[in-house]
Amino acid sequence: MLQGHARIVDFIAQTDGVTGRKKLQKMIYIAKKLELPFQEKYEFHIYGPYSEELAVRIEELCDMGFLTEAVEDKGSYIQYTYGVTPEGQEFRETLGAGSAAADFASALNEKSSRFLELTATLLYFDDLPREECIEKLHIVKGKLNFTDEEIDEAFAFIEGLQTFRRIS
Amino acid sequence: MSYATEKLAEEKVFKDPVHRYIHVKDLAIWDLVNTREFQRLRRIKQLGTSFTVFHGAEHSRFNHSLGVYEIVRRICDDVFPNRPAWDEKERLVSLCAALLHDLGHGPYSHAFEKVFHVDHEDFTRRILLGDTEVNAVLKRVAPGFPQDVADVIAKTYRNKLVVSLISSQIDADRMDYLQRDAYYTGVSYGHFDMERILRVMRPLEDQVVIKSSGMHAVEDYIMSRYQMYWQVYFHPVARSAEVILRKIFQRAKKLHAEGYEFDQPPRHFQSFFDRTFTLKDYLALDEAIMMTYFQLWMTEKDPILSDLSDRFVNRRLFQYIEFDPGKDYKKLAELAVLFNKAGIDPEYYLVDDSSSDLPYDFYRPGEEEERLPIHLLTPNNEVKELSRSSQIVDAISGKRRTDYKLYFPEELLTDGKKKAVKQQILDMIREGEK
């Protein structure tokens, strides 16, 4: 009961706050790919893997008063920053839902939204051999012009994250 | 003549209550309809448990898939030809993707997927690309054609216009299911002027747009969708049946994990319990098989499995109350303790459930949102996002509505046994109703 909600609060609580809806979406996707206990269903959307279920849960958690959503007008776009309220801390502790290690959440949070979009997209196509995966990336993300260096860095990052993979 | 362009000697038609006729001229489409994987969709209901409320809602995913195909066929054959942004070479992949977009759906997939952690979209891909009759037909078109169809359905295809025909905020999938589900449930919502929308659709490089003169037909479509979600898809009683179904799967899975010996070995579920399932195992499932197990499980010695199965088969559903999870989560924990004291396992008999919908959303450039908006094409060829022109759509844009319910078996709380604790539970539940 509400364990799924509690895991999201727990994950955000491991960071100093997550800036960007897109960024939070990709962080949870990457965590899910590493078999951390998130159940939200993802599909491929404009910015790569996206979960409508996660978007709903985040909005619900804000309505419940467990998450804060700070809205900042950046001129050409609106930026959202998420943090955990004292009520959210209590909710998380009451339900005792563990989600991820703090250093894992921080490692993701340190990265830019663009980098996480790239990483999540590469993970989305991880059933393909590396060259085909890159080819697919350029088809679906052609307008973003990811460089070879960025792509290499993302693959190395994915490799480094394997230490956090949940062993069931 | 290549297989990709080969036509039937005589056009085939399916009689259809929504589109009147569904026309098939392409041999590849006819061959796909006749594959065993596509025929399987006849045995899976489009609306899952909604039939427990709307008794007409027995239509299948087969009907809907043909309907989506017919809408896309009309767009490709009647609306798009000779428009500069439309590439005629994309016609067959569009038709195949429309026809096959729900191919991986299983019986009662919403509940089944949640408990067994499977994904119907993944199965769609596996059917398209695996050793199947569908794959054999698609490969006859071209070796890379199965992958192209899979990419359109997964929204990763190179041509975004083709993707938007099947998956966008105004796509053939939604246009068919709204009308079809309205027809079969018998509700008066869900109807809109699809003829008008098709007439004013125009292809652009990356997506379908609507001539601004068709704005009111689109408004009607969005309002129809809104009504259908709240009146049909999220009906609280159908959700009660869905909750029970989920709990049946959960119970059977748990019993298996604990080494319980079923009176009838659940052979069809075995590989899903053990997570060793193959595509063949998945394709062997349909609603008739599931219903057979539920009937068998009604006489199982495990009281929870037999009770839940009986509830589903004989429509003895859970009662529900409104529930505010932000305010009531501690109360829920207290109720769970009381349920245990009353000898009723809260894991199966005290269930929170939510439904949520965002009727329409627009795009904020640069960051954040993920939905492609509906665009209007003005007479001077400007493209304008719908909610900037429509006050009705603007009023509901970006506004999500969520409904929470708490489900429980009311009659177990009033059966006269363990009266005091059950009265305490009822008092707490009724307090929440005030």
Side-chain angles (χ1 to χ4, degrees):
Chain A
M1 288 171 198
L2 299 170
Q3 287 292 324
H5 289 77
R7 280 189 200 108
I8 295 164
V9 176
D10 186 74
F11 185 83
I12 296 172
Q14 311 288 338
T15 69
D16 300 330
V18 178
T19 298
R21 286 183 174 173
K22 181 169 75 179
K23 185 169 183 176
L24 183 53
Q25 280 276 345
K26 305 318 171 214
M27 287 168 77
I28 302 284
Y29 178 74
I30 294 166
K32 194 179 170 194
K33 285 295 281 187
L34 293 170
E35 292 174 30
L36 296 174
F38 292 100
Q39 303 296 338
E40 288 77 13
K41 189 178 168 185
Y42 274 81
E43 286 181 33
F44 202 84
H45 277 235
I46 304 168
Y47 296 117
Y50 172 80
S51 170
E52 182 71 23
E53 285 178 11
L54 177 63
V56 170
R57 282 194 169 156
I58 291 166
E59 203 168 318
E60 286 174 355
L61 287 164
C62 292
D63 290 345
M64 292 173 197
F66 298 155
L67 292 182
T68 53
E69 182 185 68
V71 182
E72 197 183 341
D73 190 345
K74 298 291 235 182
S76 62
Y77 64 94
I78 304 288
Q79 187 167 275
Y80 302 83
T81 300
Y82 294 94
V84 177
T85 64
E87 292 79 13
Q89 288 288 1
E90 192 188 349
F91 171 68
R92 166 195 173 213
E93 284 156 18
T94 305
L95 270 75
S99 64
D103 45 355
F104 172 74
S106 302
L108 294 179
N109 204 24
E110 280 166 11
K111 298 293 180 185
S112 70
S113 179
R114 175 183 163 91
F115 183 79
L116 293 176
E117 182 178 347
L118 165 63
T119 304
T121 304
L122 292 174
L123 280 167
Y124 191 82
F125 297 114
D126 66 356
D127 56 330
L128 299 174
R130 183 176 168 127
E131 288 314 308
E132 282 179 43
C133 180
I134 294 170
E135 198 181 313
K136 197 74 195 166
L137 171 80
H138 289 309
I139 290 172
V140 296
K141 299 275 168 200
K143 288 180 183 167
L144 289 181
N145 295 319
F146 287 116
T147 63
D148 291 346
E149 289 72 30
E150 282 179 297
I151 294 168
D152 287 344
E153 192 191 339
F155 274 118
F157 183 64
I158 292 169
E159 193 56 42
L161 289 177
Q162 297 305 321
T163 52
F164 295 103
R165 183 176 282 277
R166 185 178 169 220
I167 299 158
S168 49
Chain B
M1 185 185 286
S2 76
Y3 185 65
T5 54
E6 196 172 343
K7 305 292 177 196
L8 294 162
E10 197 167 88
E11 183 185 72
K12 304 277 187 189
V13 288
F14 294 84
K15 197 79 186 81
D16 183 75
V18 176
H19 306 302
R20 288 194 66 236
Y21 288 101
I22 287 163
H23 302 257
V24 179
K25 284 178 281 194
D26 299 84
L27 179 60
I29 296 296
W30 183 246
D31 288 345
L32 286 170
V33 170
N34 289 315
T35 58
R36 60 170 62 224
E37 295 86 16
F38 191 77
Q39 290 292 321
R40 167 186 160 275
L41 298 178
R42 288 183 188 272
R43 308 192 297 275
I44 294 167
K45 280 193 279 294
Q46 171 72 11
L47 284 184
T49 59
S50 294
F51 74 96
T52 57
V53 179
F54 304 98
H55 64 255
E58 298 269 359
H59 56 303
S60 69
R61 296 208 179 266
F62 180 89
N63 310 26
H64 166 62
S65 299
L66 283 176
V68 179
Y69 153 80
E70 175 62 13
I71 295 172
V72 172
R73 186 200 66 75
R74 288 179 61 186
I75 294 170
C76 293
D77 291 353
D78 304 338
V79 183
F80 282 6
N82 305 318
R83 301 270 172 203
W86 175 242
D87 182 350
E88 193 59 28
K89 288 199 282 293
E90 304 285 12
R91 177 181 173 277
L92 190 62
V93 76
S94 304
L95 297 184
C96 292
L99 185 73
L100 304 174
H101 76 286
D102 271 351
L103 196 59
H105 263 293
Y108 303 117
S109 45
H110 194 61
F112 188 83
E113 288 180 20
K114 272 204 167 3
V115 175
F116 293 104
H117 305 301
V118 295
D119 180 359
H120 70 266
E121 276 143 11
D122 181 46
F123 279 110
T124 299
R125 195 182 59 81
R126 288 168 68 175
I127 298 169
L128 295 172
L129 304 178
D131 181 15
T132 60
E133 291 184 6
V134 163
N135 179 265
V137 173
L138 295 174
K139 267 199 304 213
R140 283 186 68 190
V141 175
F145 194 64
Q147 186 65 56
D148 286 347
V149 175
D151 286 348
V152 175
I153 295 170
K155 300 191 268 261
T156 58
Y157 189 57
R158 56 184 176 271
N159 185 324
K160 299 298 172 204
L161 170 62
V162 173
V163 174
S164 76
L165 287 176
I166 323 284
S167 318
S168 64
Q169 293 196 76
I170 187 158
D171 61 25
D173 184 20
R174 290 179 186 201
M175 284 198 274
D176 183 79
Y177 74 62
L178 291 177
Q179 297 178 90
R180 190 167 300 281
D181 297 343
Y183 177 87
Y184 283 101
T185 53
V187 299
S188 55
Y189 329 102
H191 303 288
F192 58 93
D193 191 350
M194 189 181 78
E195 301 302 316
R196 176 79 183 138
I197 291 177
L198 294 187
R199 280 182 65 83
V200 293
M201 265 190 169
R202 294 290 178 269
L204 288 190
E205 187 196 348
D206 274 356
Q207 65 164 320
V208 171
V209 295
I210 307 290
K211 279 174 71 180
S212 56
S213 58
M215 182 179 82
H216 298 298
V218 178
E219 285 175 340
D220 199 23
Y221 155 84
I222 288 174
M223 296 316 286
S224 296
R225 184 185 172 281
Y226 175 82
Q227 295 282 8
M228 283 298 283
Y229 269 78
W230 289 103
Q231 300 293 336
V232 176
Y233 304 137
F234 297 159
H235 195 289
V237 178
R239 281 163 57 194
S240 178
E242 181 86 22
V243 161
I244 290 172
L245 199 50
R246 197 164 76 225
K247 293 296 164 183
I248 293 174
F249 293 142
Q250 204 175 304
R251 184 63 181 173
K253 186 178 169 187
K254 181 153 193 264
L255 288 173
H256 172 80
E258 289 171 351
Y260 173 88
E261 272 192 36
F262 289 83
D263 292 340
Q264 297 283 339
R267 194 171 62 79
H268 288 83
F269 286 91
Q270 192 68 43
S271 60
F272 294 93
F273 291 149
D274 301 336
R275 290 203 64 76
T276 55
F277 54 84
T278 62
L279 179 57
K280 198 176 159 199
D281 296 329
Y282 187 74
L283 291 171
L285 294 174
D286 61 28
E287 284 175 7
I289 292 281
M290 293 234 169
M291 203 49 120
T292 304
Y293 278 105
F294 300 155
Q295 295 261 5
L296 292 170
W297 289 345
M298 278 166 62
T299 57
E300 272 293 341
K301 50 196 176 297
D302 177 69
I304 294 177
L305 184 62
S306 63
D307 176 67
L308 292 171
S309 300
D310 179 60
R311 284 176 184 279
F312 186 75
V313 171
N314 294 312
R315 199 188 178 277
R316 294 192 301 113
L317 306 178
F318 289 168
Q319 189 52 267
Y320 60 88
I321 54 164
E322 301 297 322
F323 170 64
D324 178 348
K327 219 171 65 191
D328 295 338
Y329 75 93
K330 285 183 187 166
K331 191 167 118 183
L332 189 60
E334 288 169 36
L335 275 171
V337 172
L338 292 175
F339 264 66
N340 273 321
K341 279 188 188 163
I344 307 171
D345 191 338
E347 185 63 31
Y348 301 97
Y349 291 100
L350 183 65
V351 188
D352 62 299
D353 183 70
S354 70
S355 291
S356 178
D357 182 46
L358 182 59
Y360 174 74
D361 204 9
F362 51 86
Y363 174 69
R364 290 86 169 172
E367 159 85 270
E368 318 298 358
E369 301 302 329
E370 296 271 354
R371 288 166 180 242
L372 259 186
I374 298 172
H375 281 118
L376 300 176
L377 186 65
T378 65
N380 52 1
N381 279 332
E382 276 176 32
V383 172
K384 209 171 166 187
E385 191 276 313
L386 173 65
S387 67
R388 290 171 56 205
S389 300
S390 164
Q391 288 181 330
I392 293 175
V393 175
D394 185 46
I396 59 167
S397 283
K399 293 190 176 69
R400 186 182 298 283
R401 186 179 153 194
T402 306
D403 176 61
Y404 304 97
K405 295 275 188 281
L406 186 63
Y407 289 90
F408 57 95
E410 191 172 37
E411 82 289 348
L412 287 187
L413 300 172
T414 52
D415 62 1
K417 298 171 193 163
K418 300 199 177 182
K419 236 174 169 175
V421 69
K422 287 184 181 176
Q423 190 55 51
Q424 214 181 331
I425 293 172
L426 286 169
D427 290 345
M428 276 183 83
I429 285 173
R430 284 175 190 149
E431 188 187 273
E433 279 184 303
K434 283 174 196 163

